C-alpha cells in the first residue's frame, strides 16, 4: 500500500496464517502457478473466511433472508465520516457514544487501542467493542455505518452476536478489521469497497480515509 493524494490506507494486509476470528477458516494465499518454477504466469489461489482482515458484514450474516453484501448501499461505504477516539479496551458504553453527539446518517469509525493488536500473531480476546446498550444507541440514532479496528464490533462473549443483531436489524452497516493507527481524530472522507461476492453475508474490503 502506498498512500497518496491525502488518502491513508486503513486496510489490513491479507496474509497466510494471519490472525482471524476464532473458529473461522484461515487465510491461505498460495502460488497455484509460479513463473520462478517454470509456469507461464504466476497465479495465486486464495482461501479465506469472508470475515478475515478488513471486511463488511451484511444483514445476512445474522438474519436468514437478510440483505447480502452485493446489495450494500453505496452511501454507507463512501462519504464523509468521523474518527472517534476510544482510549480503552473492553466494552464501549452508551454514554461514551452519547458524549460525541452522534447524528443520524453519520459514518463513525472507532479508533481504539485495538489498532495495535494487529501486531500480535495471536487473537486477542480483550479488544474494545460496543456494549449492547451502545449498539442500541447507534441503531436508535440511525447511524449509517459504524467501523472498528479489530475483528468484531461485538465482544468476544455472549453479547457479541446481540450487538450484531441490533446493528444489522437497525440497518447500521458494520465495518470490521480496520487499522486506524495512522489516522488523526476528527472529520474525514471514507471509502470502503467490499468485493462483489454474490449472495454472501460479508466480503473483504479495501478501506481508505482522507482527513478533512
Ligand atoms: Zn464480520
Amino acid at each position: 500500500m502506498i498512500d497518496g493524494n491525502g488518502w491513508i490506507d486503513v486496510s489490513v494486509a491479507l496474509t497466510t496464517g494471519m490472525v482471524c476470528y476464532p473458529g473461522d477458516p484461515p487465510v491461505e494465499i498460495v502460488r497455484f502457478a509460479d513463473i520462478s518454477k517454470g509456469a507461464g504466469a504466476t497465479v495465486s489461489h486464495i482461501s479465506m473466511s469472508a470475515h478475515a482482515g478488513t471486511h463488511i458484514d451484511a444483514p445476512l450474516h445474522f438474519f436468514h433472508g437478510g440483505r447480502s453484501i452485493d446489495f450494500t448501499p453505496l452511501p454507507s461505504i463512501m462519504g464523509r465520516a468521523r474518527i472517534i477516539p476510544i482510549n480503552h479496551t473492553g466494552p464501549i458504553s452508551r454514554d461514551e457514544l452519547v458524549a460525541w453527539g452522534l447524528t443520524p446518517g453519520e459514518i463513525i469509525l472507532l479508533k481504539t487501542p485495538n489498532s495495535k493488536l494487529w501486531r500480535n500473531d495471536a487473537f486477542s480476546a480483550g479488544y474494545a467493542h460496543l456494549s449492547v446498550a451502545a449498539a442500541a444507541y447507534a441503531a436508535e440514532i440511525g447511524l449509517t455505518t459504524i467501523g472498528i479496528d479489530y475483528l468484531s464490533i461485538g465482544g468476544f462473549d455472549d453479547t457479541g452476536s446481540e450487538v450484531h443483531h441490533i446493528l444489522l436489524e437497525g440497518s447500521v452497516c458494520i465495518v470490521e478489521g480496520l487499522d486506524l493507527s495512522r489516522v488523526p481524530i476528527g472529520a474525514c472522507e471514507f471509502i470502503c469497497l467490499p468485493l462483489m461476492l454474490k449472495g454472501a453475508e460479508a466480503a473483504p474490503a479495501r478501506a481508505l480515509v482522507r482527513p478533512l
Side-chain angles (χ1 to χ4, degrees):
M1 58 177 172
I2 301 173
D3 299 337
N5 292 341
W7 288 97
I8 300 168
D9 197 325
V10 293
S11 325
V12 170
L14 295 169
T15 59
T16 295
M18 72 185 290
V19 62
C20 283
Y21 198 79
D24 282 2
V27 175
E28 290 176 324
I29 305 169
V30 296
R31 291 276 166 91
F32 174 78
D34 195 329
I35 48 172
S36 72
K37 292 175 181 158
T42 295
V43 176
S44 296
H45 177 90
I46 303 170
S47 171
M48 59 188 280
S49 157
H51 302 261
T54 309
H55 68 280
I56 297 180
D57 285 349
L60 184 60
H61 187 29
F62 278 91
F63 293 102
H64 181 69
R67 178 174 54 67
S68 53
I69 195 70
D70 43 330
F71 288 98
T72 302
L74 288 182
S76 65
I77 51 177
M78 52 194 304
R80 194 182 166 99
R82 186 151 55 123
I83 312 283
I84 286 181
I86 301 289
N87 297 318
H88 61 85
T89 55
I92 298 163
S93 71
R94 176 188 175 101
D95 287 352
E96 283 176 86
L97 292 190
V98 170
W100 284 98
L102 309 186
T103 54
E106 267 199 288
I107 298 175
I108 294 297
L109 308 176
L110 302 173
K111 178 177 178 175
T112 82
N114 295 349
S115 282
K116 297 189 189 80
L117 296 177
W118 294 114
R119 296 178 205 150
N120 302 347
D121 291 336
F123 177 77
S124 306
Y127 56 89
H129 59 86
L130 288 192
S131 64
V132 169
Y137 175 67
E140 177 189 310
I141 201 155
L143 286 188
T144 292
T145 298
I146 192 155
I148 197 153
D149 48 358
Y150 204 50
L151 288 161
S152 182
I153 189 71
F156 188 63
D157 53 30
D158 51 6
T159 66
S161 62
E162 191 176 354
V163 163
H164 278 82
H165 273 107
I166 291 167
L167 294 172
L168 295 173
E169 191 166 39
S171 296
V172 183
C173 179
I174 301 173
V175 180
E176 295 170 327
L178 295 165
D179 178 358
L180 299 173
S181 54
R182 298 187 303 133
V183 297
I185 299 311
C188 64
E189 291 175 280
F190 178 60
I191 299 180
C192 182
L193 301 178
L195 290 182
M196 193 67 145
L197 300 185
K198 191 172 171 64
E201 86 298 342
R206 192 69 179 261
L208 305 171
V209 161
R210 180 155 69 177
L212 290 172

